[in-house]
Amino acid sequence: MIISQPMAPSLYSVRMRASLHGQHLAGAERIVDEAAVIEASSALVARAMDASHSPADEIHCRVERIETTEVVYQRLPDVSTYQVDDWQQGRLAAAWLLANAGIQKDIATRAVELLADGAGPDGAVMRGAVLMDAKTGARLEGDPSRGVRVSRMDLVPENRQFIEQLMLSKELGHHRILEALVLAGKVLSAPGIVAELCWSDDPSYITGYVADSQNGYQRISELKQTGDMSGGRVFFVDLSKTSIAELVEYLEGRVILFNACGMISPPEKWLSDDE
Ligand code: AMP
């Protein structure tokens, strides 16, 4: 008699992107067990229809099975939080943290200004991230309107509840923080990445971060004023360590699941004299 081995449950990537009047409005994704596909899809669609902003007029939801052999497991980056006095100090702190990660100060400052001015054509917010040469500051992404969109990453389904509870206990419970941490974790593990700068284009969300592999995910309490629609992401790339094709293939295609938290430090006041 042949007894078949129990198969590991299939994993699915569930992706949502929503637009309003032809403009990108929201995007999010999850990687879940087969049994959670319907719940995850409806939660993502509900987010696009959220009454706190204008509901989307077009929503695309895509569900794809993932081969479990493709999955790479990692630990989330360490998390620290800097409280700044205002957004101006926050932007100086961001440039300082980028310089600390090895980016020349003028390139770091230029990246901060780029997000403030709008990195897309005509100063629009991009749908994805800018790729910036860490040594020269040159833009490397093929499409300056779309940029590069990082995809196919999430928490391991079995550990999600534990990690969410832990983040909640450190007052980091909002799904926005965990999603950004997961994204930053994947970005930092990509070939040739030196650092990342991010703040949201959501006018009500003013906290952003700088991430690098030495110091992890460093939140900065204010990187813009409430009401400011600017935002975006810049990934700084060391071209001596990767090619654009290899990097983009990793960011878009490689499946990364995070199974544990890094160290989470309590918030501290930003005190660098070298602002
Ligand atoms: P959010 O934190 O979702 O408000 O996103 C802030 C900015 O980051 C957006 O305006 C995009 O420019 C960029 N972005 C959002 N999602 C991604 C992604 N998956 N990959 C790369 N860049 C992204």
Side-chain angles (χ1 to χ4, degrees):
M1 189 167 70
I2 298 171
I3 301 174
S4 58
Q5 292 291 320
M7 302 226 310
S10 294
L11 288 174
Y12 284 80
S13 155
V14 181
R15 287 193 253 181
M16 175 279 291
R17 73 184 157 83
S19 56
L20 179 64
H21 312 311
Q23 296 288 317
H24 176 79
L25 181 69
E29 69 174 85
R30 298 283 314 282
I31 293 177
V32 295
D33 291 329
E34 190 177 327
V37 168
I38 294 171
E39 189 193 330
S41 328
S42 63
L44 292 182
V45 171
R47 212 193 283 184
M49 296 302 289
D50 186 352
S52 67
H53 56 67
S54 308
D57 56 21
E58 202 170 309
I59 303 171
H60 295 260
C61 198
R62 180 170 166 168
V63 179
E64 262 179 308
R65 188 162 56 206
I66 285 175
E67 294 305 328
T68 37
T69 50
E70 283 182 71
V71 180
V72 175
Y73 296 91
Q74 291 179 7
R75 201 183 77 140
L76 286 164
D78 294 345
V79 181
S80 48
T81 302
Y82 295 110
Q83 305 282 8
V84 291
D85 294 337
D86 50 35
W87 61 272
Q88 290 96 332
Q89 189 187 40
R91 289 184 186 178
L92 291 171
W96 192 95
L97 291 172
L98 288 169
N100 190 44
I103 311 293
Q104 279 173 41
K105 200 63 186 279
D106 60 321
I107 294 177
T109 305
R110 225 184 307 153
V112 172
E113 284 166 2
L114 181 66
L115 290 194
D117 295 344
D122 300 325
V125 170
M126 292 170 70
R127 299 199 298 285
V130 171
L131 292 185
M132 184 173 279
D133 186 322
K135 295 213 169 82
T136 66
R139 300 269 297 260
L140 303 168
E141 73 281 4
D143 175 348
S145 166
R146 178 181 182 273
V148 176
R149 283 198 59 90
V150 190
S151 188
R152 291 159 69 91
M153 66 282 172
D154 202 349
L155 301 176
V156 170
E158 308 86 77
N159 296 12
R160 167 169 288 276
Q161 208 185 357
F162 173 79
I163 294 174
E164 281 179 347
Q165 284 303 321
L166 185 69
M167 295 286 287
L168 193 62
S169 72
K170 307 279 183 187
E171 297 183 13
L172 299 169
H174 197 284
H175 68 77
R176 182 188 279 289
I177 301 175
L178 195 50
E179 283 170 10
L181 180 61
V182 164
L183 189 152
K186 178 168 182 189
V187 171
L188 291 180
S189 71
I193 288 288
V194 180
E196 177 190 354
L197 165 69
C198 167
W199 73 81
S200 176
D201 52 286
D202 179 337
S204 65
Y205 193 72
I206 59 176
T207 301
Y209 65 86
V210 167
D212 71 75
S213 47
Q214 196 73 34
N215 301 291
Y217 177 84
Q218 303 163 98
R219 304 175 68 232
I220 300 169
S221 60
E222 291 180 49
L223 277 175
K224 67 178 193 179
Q225 277 177 299
T226 303
D228 181 345
M229 312 278 282
S230 74
R233 284 184 156 85
V234 180
F235 302 157
F236 296 88
V237 186
D238 180 346
L239 280 178
S240 70
K241 302 218 169 99
T242 189
S243 66
I244 302 296
E246 181 192 33
L247 175 61
V248 171
E249 198 275 319
Y250 185 100
L251 293 173
E252 293 182 348
R254 192 69 66 88
V255 183
I256 308 288
L257 288 180
F258 293 90
N259 53 15
C261 280
M263 234 174 58
I264 302 178
S265 307
E268 58 187 289
K269 195 166 162 41
W270 176 257
L271 282 178
S272 171
D273 331 318
D274 186 17
E275 291 169 354

